[in-house]
Amino acid sequence: MTPTSDPSLLVYGPRTEQLHEPLGVGEQHPRLSWKLRSERRGAAQSAYRITAAERADDLDASSRLLWDSGRRESGETLLIAWNGAALRSATRYHWRVEVWDETGAPGTPAQTWFETGLLTHDDWQAVWVGRDPHSAPPVEPPGDEDPDPSWGTPPLYLRREFELRDTPVRARLYATARGVYEPRLNGSRVGDLELAPGWTEYHRRVQYQSYDVTTLVREGRNVLGAIVAHGWWSGHIGFDPRRAAHHYGSEPAYLAQLVAEFADGSRQVVATDPDWTEHPGAIRAADLLMGQHVDARCEIPGWDTPEAVAAGRYQVAVLDHATGPLVAEPDPPVRVTRGVAAVAVRQRGPGRYIADFGQNLVGRVRLTVRGAAAGRRITLRHAEILADGDLYVDNLRRARAIDTYVTGGGQVEFFEPQFTFHGFRYVEIDNYPGDLQPRDVMARVLHNDVPRAGTFECSDPMINQLQSNIVWGQRGNFVAVPTDCPQRDERLGWLADAQIFAPTASRNADVSAFFARWMRDVIDGQDTDGAFRDVAPAVTIDREAAPAWGDAGVIIPWHLWRIYGDRRALRRSFGAMTAWVDHIRRHNPDLRWRRRTGNSYGDWLQIDVTTPRDLLATAYFARSTEIVVLSADALGLPEVAAEYRALHGGIRSAFIDSFVSADGRVEGGTQTGYLLALAFGLLPESLIPAAVGHLAAEVESRGARLTTGFVGTALLCPVLAEHGRTDLAYALLHQEEFPSWGHSIRHGATTIWERWDGWTEQSGFQSAAMNSFNHYSLGSVGDWLFGRVAGIDQTPGSVAYRELLLRPLPGGRLTWARAEQETARGRAECGWALADGRLTITAVVPPGTTALLEVPTSDPAGVREGGEPAAIRPGVLAVEPADAGALLHLASGHYVVSAAAPDTHTPPVSSRPVLFSRETS
Ligand code: RAM
């Protein structure tokens, strides 16, 4: 913590297109970013230089550089577009960034690389191959009951033998599937990706993956293979009882291209072509929702090696020659990121056990079986919850979530399905041979492997559990797309869920590339009238999106700009954003959004009340329009901004006329009604205090209980705290009586429930028709934990945390709280602790950024930093008195501020309200 311990400016975390050392970049002008670290106060980058070359050694040889930006006098560190020589396909590029600090001294540089994928259509020689319907039917497994035929045909085991004339110096595999696939090479699995190629709007884009296979190929005979299952392409998706055939295709297919490069620079390409064969293997059936059925007796040993016997193979059919539309996967893929051991295993009958992992999670189980005779059929059923000691599976609806393993007779056998996933805390294992030991059953957790970005903790264990539930909910629902739930027959990319949770998601992880990629699916789903769909990829629901759902198409690009500085995402989405707002305007010329509201879900899963739908809709119409104004300004389109600014003014007036009365009451009188009006700036200034009073009275009249659903909950604590009712915000946060976050935790929740009344003492389980125990939406309070309770936020005009707003909020029963946040520019931290009548705040402000730190204290004149009066300390640029404390302007660096504790009953410092609507001011 000593300010001078590391005087230098250090570059870390260099990334290309938001990713660390990506292998298959598909952009012609990828964007380069880095972060800065220094403990010296006021440290900042004053200049940078980027150099790039094809070989790392060439970075020092100026004649060999592909790009030399030269020294640029700039503090910019984010998303600088490649401006060097045109990029070639399948090529590695090394780049280095050197920086100079604000004194002109050089900092510590960083070096990294990226590799391009196949950048043009002509690079592809591969064709789509799949099962030939005219070839012989697959061999039936010996003496086994058939897997459920509704799961579709068995996965394809594809293989192709090839000869390499030499050992390559470099080999890459580019592969994808209409379905989900596991690539194989010479008997090994290639890479560690799961459920590739993910789920996109397949008619528009199929993602391919890039793998480094240099160490897996060899001179002479090789076998390239893959196992391909239905996945999202042709398996069950959503609640549509028909298989996905009705959305995409009926049978899976595969496309791959291996490029081997030899020392002399020559290349050899092996691609999917008519010479591939397919045969049935041990996986008899696999479906994302239903489960996986494996019969180990059907495994053909070494099928993906040159040594395998040739019997029982069929020639593939070439499905078509057109390869498009293939795009490089632009975001972190799905991986298994951890294993969770069983905390308890209980026997429930002969050979029947239930294992408890102590955590509701998403993935699958790895089971070890010892010494079983061949042909023993073991089933694994999954559930989030127990009822009377047995699995409660009613809430899975049509998702069966059953895996079956028929033993092959080995000494020790391992079973782990790879083409399905389940949401569960418990697994029931039936017909297990012998005693099931906890070490023989392990949960494997999978999700898009987005880098962890933040931590939050505080003195209240219940709130720490809430934060853990939020993080686990995020993990389990970031599987290919941001899903609503991971367990039942749904798992769709619901737009409202995503937009409501995005601010929290970006606290916990770097979701920049993940959301930018998904936004393309959101836009692909937009119809010619400008309407988005409720879900993306768009399946099942064929109507225009509802208020707060479709608005995600506007809110998320704006969020990517604000949090990550992703101007390109904003620019690429801007046309779709205005088209959405125009669509609402066109059908609602009186500027009250009442027509074309799709399924109009209102404040979804609100409790005991009904917030008027047209109020909610009109509030979102205003909010989306306001974001279009802000975005137009950010993109330098003043005329567009002016047009939508006028529209926004009109909607605001219409809202006030229709829904706000002269005494500050908002129609319906619900918490969410007030929250929307206050958060989105839809009240005349003079009526704000009265409206806050009505809102507070509503909450108090219920004994500090909430009534909010998906939409209102995100705003609840932020709005109350912003308007001086920290007491109520904390009372809601600490609440343990129904309905509250605490209620679910008191009843054992380890993830966020879909509904406040998912289970209650009074009524038991909610209707199984819709009752998920792992839905992140009501976890949207996480953004407030980071941004206000611990206090890491940014000022209204700031982009990518260039100007931090540190606002620790002592209150409730907390004695301390702290958060760390890897921002796009570097690590920020804010924490506070109350002890002996003093408040101590620790703050870390990344180089090149500044901070406004609000110090809530009863003695603003006595604020100290590092033990001395704050005003005389280096890095403290100014100290200003504020309402109930002091405001410190800080340069970058690490600080320890202390002050007399705040008066418990005074509202906190309110220097600059940062609610959404204030972004415009
Ligand atoms: C439910 C989903 C989702 C919600 C929609 C309206 O089925 O789980 O969370 O957005 O309904």
Side-chain angles (χ1 to χ4, degrees):
M1 276 298 185
T2 37
T4 49
S5 61
D6 178 8
S8 70
L9 186 61
L10 184 102
V11 179
Y12 76 102
R15 12 198 227 295
T16 308
E17 282 298 315
Q18 313 276 30
L19 302 175
H20 171 69
E21 301 182 346
L23 204 53
V25 170
E27 296 283 340
Q28 293 281 359
H29 296 278
R31 299 161 305 161
L32 317 182
S33 311
W34 57 92
K35 299 186 187 191
L36 297 170
R37 181 185 299 149
S38 170
E39 296 193 1
R40 184 163 46 80
R41 294 188 180 178
Q45 171 188 305
S46 63
Y48 72 84
R49 176 183 175 215
I50 297 169
T51 45
E54 267 189 45
R55 288 161 26 117
D57 293 348
D58 291 348
L59 288 171
D60 295 311
S62 56
S63 60
R64 294 246 177 77
L65 292 178
L66 295 170
W67 181 24
D68 184 351
S69 72
R71 183 179 156 132
R72 316 282 285 209
E73 304 304 314
S74 165
E76 201 46 84
T77 58
L78 288 183
L79 299 166
I80 295 166
W82 174 270
N83 197 17
L87 299 178
R88 293 187 295 121
S89 289
T91 306
R92 183 168 294 202
Y93 295 92
H94 297 264
W95 63 272
R96 176 188 291 164
V97 56
E98 297 162 72
V99 298
W100 289 266
D101 71 13
E102 76 293 355
T103 69
T108 310
Q111 196 171 310
T112 185
W113 57 263
F114 68 92
E115 211 171 287
T116 47
L118 300 184
L119 296 174
T120 70
H121 192 264
D122 295 345
D123 292 321
W124 288 99
Q125 298 177 21
V127 293
W128 286 104
V129 297
R131 181 169 288 132
D132 184 346
H134 307 299
S135 64
V139 207
E140 287 307 323
D144 185 35
E145 300 157 48
D146 270 341
D148 189 332
S150 74
W151 298 15
T153 48
L156 293 159
Y157 284 65
L158 292 156
R159 77 191 289 282
R160 162 77 146 96
E161 213 166 304
F162 64 97
E163 193 94 19
L164 283 186
R165 59 173 177 274
D166 198 356
T167 305
V169 287
R170 209 182 86 118
R172 297 290 180 266
L173 175 69
Y174 305 98
T176 187
R178 295 172 179 162
V180 285
Y181 73 98
E182 179 181 301
R184 312 278 313 180
L185 192 49
N186 293 330
S188 300
R189 174 179 173 185
V190 175
D192 61 354
L193 309 190
E194 302 288 344
L195 303 175
W199 185 17
T200 51
E201 197 67 69
Y202 291 132
H203 298 306
R204 305 279 191 108
R205 274 170 310 112
V206 177
Q207 300 181 153
Y208 69 88
Q209 284 68 39
S210 308
Y211 305 86
D212 183 348
V213 293
T214 311
T215 58
L216 295 177
V217 284
R218 52 189 178 227
E219 184 186 346
R221 289 168 75 203
N222 291 265
V223 169
L224 181 59
I227 314 172
V228 187
H230 291 282
W232 294 275
W233 172 264
S234 46
H236 288 98
I237 46 175
F239 37 72
D240 195 327
R242 303 165 305 179
R243 291 201 359 256
H246 298 267
H247 308 289
Y248 304 111
S250 54
E251 288 297 326
Y254 188 58
L255 181 145
Q257 180 159 324
L258 183 142
V259 183
E261 210 177 290
F262 303 98
D264 63 2
S266 64
R267 290 183 176 197
Q268 188 178 337
V269 175
V270 180
T272 41
D273 64 18
D275 290 340
W276 284 58
T277 60
E278 66 92 6
H279 65 269
I283 307 174
R284 311 301 306 160
D287 183 279
L288 294 175
L289 301 179
M290 300 302 171
Q292 185 161 318
H293 179 106
V294 173
D295 188 332
R297 294 168 301 176
C298 302
E299 179 76 38
I300 301 173
W303 68 272
D304 48 1
T305 64
E307 291 74 41
V309 285
R313 291 189 203 138
Y314 309 99
Q315 215 64 34
V316 294
V318 170
L319 300 175
D320 52 56
H321 289 271
T323 48
L326 299 179
V327 299
E329 177 167 65
D331 66 318
V334 175
R335 288 196 176 90
V336 170
T337 61
R338 68 186 70 207
V340 175
V343 294
V345 172
R346 266 171 303 116
Q347 186 154 12
R348 300 286 296 169
R352 190 161 77 89
Y353 299 85
I354 290 182
D356 174 5
F357 297 101
Q359 172 65 53
N360 197 17
L361 50 81
V362 175
R364 63 226 188 183
V365 167
R366 179 179 160 91
L367 183 72
T368 308
V369 182
R370 292 164 208 281
R376 189 176 184 111
R377 186 186 174 103
I378 302 169
T379 55
L380 293 85
R381 297 195 306 134
H382 304 76
E384 295 184 289
I385 227 150
L386 297 182
D388 303 326
D390 269 316
L391 301 190
Y392 177 78
V393 292
D394 297 359
N395 69 330
L396 306 183
R397 302 195 308 215
R398 279 184 329 97
R400 294 194 66 208
I402 299 181
D403 297 327
T404 309
Y405 181 68
V406 181
T407 51
Q411 268 301 306
V412 182
E413 295 178 60
F414 300 104
F415 168 62
E416 181 178 351
Q418 70 270 55
F419 298 128
T420 188
F421 68 95
H422 314 297
F424 63 100
R425 170 175 167 171
Y426 303 94
V427 64
E428 182 204 76
I429 297 158
D430 200 9
N431 201 24
Y432 187 80
D435 280 347
L436 179 64
Q437 300 297 321
R439 69 185 155 110
D440 290 332
V441 53
M442 160 80 76
R444 305 253 294 154
V445 177
L446 61 76
H447 55 95
N448 281 85
D449 192 9
V450 289
R452 192 75 199 264
T455 54
F456 168 88
E457 10 163 41
C458 68
S459 57
D460 182 340
M462 194 277 276
I463 296 170
N464 292 337
Q465 182 66 46
L466 171 62
Q467 167 64 12
S468 168
N469 293 5
I470 292 169
V471 169
W472 275 99
Q474 174 165 348
R475 236 174 236 147
N477 282 296
F478 277 35
V479 179
V481 299
T483 59
D484 60 327
C485 59
Q487 73 295 80
R488 68 183 179 216
D489 56 341
E490 188 151 354
R491 317 184 193 185
L492 298 174
W494 284 96
L495 267 66
D497 307 45
Q499 66 92 350
I500 281 161
F501 189 69
T504 300
S506 46
R507 298 296 191 166
N508 295 319
D510 175 356
V511 293
S512 54
F514 178 76
F515 273 120
R517 190 257 304 163
W518 182 65
M519 259 318 292
R520 298 177 64 172
D521 297 312
V522 172
I523 294 174
D524 284 342
Q526 194 170 32
D527 67 22
T528 48
D529 197 58
F532 295 113
R533 290 288 173 266
D534 282 333
V535 296
V539 287
T540 303
I541 304 165
D542 200 23
R543 296 186 68 173
E544 70 274 354
W549 270 252
D551 298 286
V554 174
I555 293 168
I556 289 178
W558 174 246
H559 184 72
L560 292 172
W561 162 245
R562 277 271 286 154
I563 301 300
Y564 300 110
D566 191 347
R567 181 184 295 276
R568 193 182 70 191
L570 188 63
R571 187 165 32 76
R572 287 182 178 175
S573 309
F574 189 68
M577 294 160 68
T578 54
W580 167 248
V581 167
D582 293 348
H583 152 82
I584 306 169
R585 169 167 51 180
R586 192 174 319 118
H587 297 287
N588 298 277
D590 70 349
L591 306 186
R592 289 142 182 94
W593 187 5
R594 288 182 291 217
R595 278 175 294 279
R596 301 295 288 267
T597 53
N599 287 329
S600 197
Y601 306 102
D603 189 15
W604 187 240
L605 302 179
Q606 57 201 323
I607 192 123
D608 283 348
V609 298
T610 305
T611 295
R613 283 168 203 245
D614 47 355
L615 177 154
L616 181 146
T618 305
Y620 260 93
F621 182 21
R623 176 63 183 147
S624 279
T625 306
E626 182 178 37
I627 291 176
V628 166
V629 174
L630 296 165
S631 306
D633 281 337
L635 295 172
L637 303 166
E639 278 136 44
V640 183
E643 180 197 335
Y644 288 91
R645 192 172 280 116
L647 174 62
H648 179 254
I651 303 167
R652 186 171 182 274
S653 304
F655 183 93
I656 294 169
D657 290 351
S658 304
F659 307 118
V660 183
S661 52
D663 61 355
R665 284 184 197 277
V666 169
E667 192 177 296
T670 65
Q671 296 173 12
T672 295
Y674 286 106
L675 294 167
L676 287 165
L678 285 160
F680 294 173
L682 300 174
L683 291 168
E685 202 72 19
S686 61
L687 293 184
I688 292 175
V692 172
H694 299 314
L695 167 63
E698 213 290 336
V699 176
E700 279 166 337
S701 74
R702 294 174 185 272
R705 304 298 163 86
L706 51 79
T707 61
T708 50
F710 281 21
V711 170
T713 298
L715 308 173
L716 184 61
C717 292
V719 168
L720 285 167
E722 208 56 41
H723 289 281
R725 295 307 305 264
T726 304
D727 58 330
L728 277 183
Y730 272 114
L732 288 160
L733 186 66
H734 289 305
Q735 181 63 268
E736 292 189 10
E737 296 304 319
F738 169 77
S740 65
W741 296 282
H743 169 260
S744 69
I745 291 167
R746 200 153 53 79
H747 292 289
T750 56
T751 38
I752 301 290
W753 293 356
E754 176 176 24
R755 324 172 66 124
W756 297 116
D757 57 359
W759 186 90
T760 59
E761 276 141 40
Q762 247 187 352
S763 324
F765 289 117
Q766 244 294 351
S767 154
M770 208 187 74
N771 196 20
S772 138
F773 293 97
N774 194 356
H775 239 71
Y776 50 54
S777 301
L778 297 177
S780 57
V781 67
D783 183 49
W784 186 72
L785 297 179
F786 278 83
R788 201 66 178 96
V789 173
I792 302 179
D793 213 323
Q794 59 180 334
T795 61
S798 164
V799 172
Y801 294 92
R802 186 182 281 293
E803 192 182 28
L804 299 178
L805 184 57
L806 304 177
R807 323 175 73 203
L809 187 68
R813 295 200 299 265
L814 300 187
T815 54
W816 62 269
R818 65 180 286 278
E820 271 184 38
Q821 180 86 56
E822 267 299 328
T823 75
R825 299 178 195 278
R827 193 175 71 86
E829 187 183 315
C830 192
W832 59 267
L834 284 171
D836 308 324
R838 301 281 300 168
L839 172 69
T840 305
I841 298 170
T842 51
V844 174
V845 183
T849 72
T850 57
L852 289 175
L853 168 64
E854 294 181 0
V855 185
T857 173
S858 56
D859 176 20
V863 177
R864 302 175 83 79
E865 195 284 316
E868 292 184 282
I872 64 164
R873 296 288 295 159
V876 180
L877 308 172
V879 182
E880 274 178 52
D883 285 358
L887 190 61
L888 270 51
H889 294 249
L890 302 177
S892 66
H894 296 202
Y895 298 87
V896 181
V897 173
S898 73
D903 292 333
T904 34
H905 295 298
T906 1
V909 189
S910 64
S911 56
R912 299 174 185 222
V914 283
L915 282 172
F916 316 122
S917 59
R918 302 305 181 98
E919 285 163 1
T920 26
S921 60

